[in-house]
Amino acid sequence: MGAVAVILKVMPESPEVDLEALKAAIREKIPGVSDMRDEPIGFGLVALKVATVIQDEEGATEGIESQFLDIPGVDRAEIVDLSRMI
């Protein structure tokens, strides 16, 4: 088994969520986060695109999504890109 690079789109619960505090919580709770960028959605709502590396094993993608849902302020997280690392 190898490693997989995953990019997730993380939606905050509302435009009032402090993005800097949310980014800090993500970095603290999710291992392997290598990059995080803001993606304006509209009406003041900004999503976060988070790049991380996980092990290529059964159930790993569902596990990483559920880890994000345990962070206060996160409404949902979905994988938008996935690629094997060479």
Side-chain angles (χ1 to χ4, degrees), residues 9-45:
K9 185 175 188 176
V10 180
M11 297 296 293
E13 292 175 340
S14 73
E16 288 79 34
V17 171
D18 180 359
L19 287 181
E20 294 309 313
L22 183 58
K23 288 177 185 179
I26 289 170
R27 289 191 190 281
E28 179 182 318
K29 296 191 183 229
I30 307 294
V33 171
S34 60
D35 192 24
M36 206 174 317
R37 299 185 185 194
D38 296 353
E39 181 181 278
I41 301 298
F43 304 106
L45 187 61

Side-chain angles (χ1 to χ4, degrees), residues 6-84:
V6 180
I7 298 176
L8 297 103
K9 185 175 188 176
V10 180
M11 297 296 293
E13 292 175 340
S14 73
E16 288 79 34
V17 171
D18 180 359
L19 287 181
E20 294 309 313
L22 183 58
K23 288 177 185 179
I26 289 170
R27 289 191 190 281
E28 179 182 318
K29 296 191 183 229
I30 307 294
V33 171
S34 60
D35 192 24
M36 206 174 317
R37 299 185 185 194
D38 296 353
E39 181 181 278
I41 301 298
F43 304 106
L45 187 61
V46 177
L48 297 175
K49 286 276 188 92
V50 181
T52 188
V53 176
I54 61 173
Q55 290 301 307
D56 184 14
E57 53 191 34
E58 187 174 341
T61 54
E62 291 86 7
I64 193 73
E65 287 176 332
S66 67
Q67 285 179 334
F68 277 93
L69 296 178
D70 290 338
I71 299 172
V74 172
D75 180 50
R76 69 178 186 268
E78 63 181 283
I79 294 174
V80 294
D81 194 19
L82 181 85
S83 58
R84 291 186 190 270

